Amino acid sequence: GGSDLLLNNTAKAGLAGIVGRMLNEDTEKYTSEQISAELQKLGSNVSVFDGGDAMLYSASSLTKNLDKTLALFQERLYHPKFTTDALDRIKKQTIQGLKNAKTQPANVASTVFEKVLYGLDNPRVMVSNGTEATINSITLEDVQKFYDNNFSPSVASVVIVGDITEADAKAKLAFLNSWKAKPVTI
């Protein structure tokens, strides 16, 4: 799930985007630098981002490196390590991005358009990016809670594109079978 999960909590607007960026940081076993270096060696990519209505995990790999890539994907999905250092850095970058966006004509036009489309008070207008105040208010506990409460196979789908049979893909993704489902309210 993504930003829609937060439409009732504008005080934490921007949290989904922060969580998405945090999920690209350290894991329990590896630093983000170690994962990046390993992915670079494999010619692979594993990334996470807030897609507005969903949190998207993406992996791309050569078929021959798929197992090693999926091991890193699994580490990102199951074992994120949320640190204060990463949160502080990402909050600073996000606030700087909000400040820069105010000077970009395309962003200003897009914001005005959303306000016209959804109404001034509609949470959708501010929830994905947040404001300086809401971003500053986000804590490590908020990030952990968002991850704990909203990441579940019950609200997940998998899309696979490539040179692989359905049977092989299911076998390689068997690690998803151990993912414990929990109720998620959207």
Side-chain angles (χ1 to χ4, degrees), residues 87-152:
L87 179 60
D88 291 346
R89 177 171 33 82
I90 288 168
K91 279 165 63 169
K92 272 190 194 121
Q93 289 168 347
T94 303
I95 288 166
Q96 191 56 53
L98 289 172
K99 287 178 179 172
N100 292 348
K102 286 180 185 167
T103 67
Q104 305 282 330
N107 284 322
V108 173
S110 169
T111 303
V112 170
F113 177 71
E114 285 180 347
K115 285 180 179 170
V116 169
L117 195 63
Y118 298 119
L120 284 176
D121 298 328
N122 191 302
R124 188 179 286 276
V125 172
M126 69 176 280
V127 84
S128 59
N129 297 329
T131 65
E132 197 169 330
T134 64
I135 296 297
N136 270 324
S137 78
I138 292 169
T139 65
L140 207 55
E141 187 186 3
D142 294 327
V143 170
Q144 188 67 55
K145 242 192 243 173
F146 185 90
Y147 174 81
D148 292 342
N149 294 340
N150 299 313
F151 286 70
S152 169

Side-chain angles (χ1 to χ4, degrees), residues 25 29 38 86 89 96 123 128 141 155 159 161-162 165 167:
E25 295 289 328
K29 280 190 197 164
E38 191 57 33
R89 177 171 33 82
Q96 191 56 53
S128 59
E141 187 186 3
V155 289
V159 177
V161 178
T165 65

Side-chain angles (χ1 to χ4, degrees), residues 31-94:
T31 65
S32 62
E33 290 80 11
Q34 287 171 319
I35 289 179
S36 292
E38 191 57 33
L39 288 167
Q40 205 168 1
K41 267 193 279 181
L42 296 168
S44 299
N45 179 44
V46 172
S47 55
V48 189
F49 52 97
D50 169 31
D53 291 328
M55 196 66 69
L56 304 171
Y57 280 75
S58 170
S60 62
S61 170
L62 296 169
T63 307
K64 67 179 182 180
N65 294 333
L66 190 54
D67 291 340
K68 288 179 180 172
T69 303
L70 286 175
L72 295 169
F73 179 92
Q74 184 177 348
E75 181 69 15
R76 280 236 183 278
L77 177 63
Y78 288 161
H79 306 291
K81 182 179 178 183
F82 301 124
T83 66
T84 307
D85 284 355
L87 179 60
D88 291 346
R89 177 171 33 82
I90 288 168
K91 279 165 63 169
K92 272 190 194 121
Q93 289 168 347
T94 303

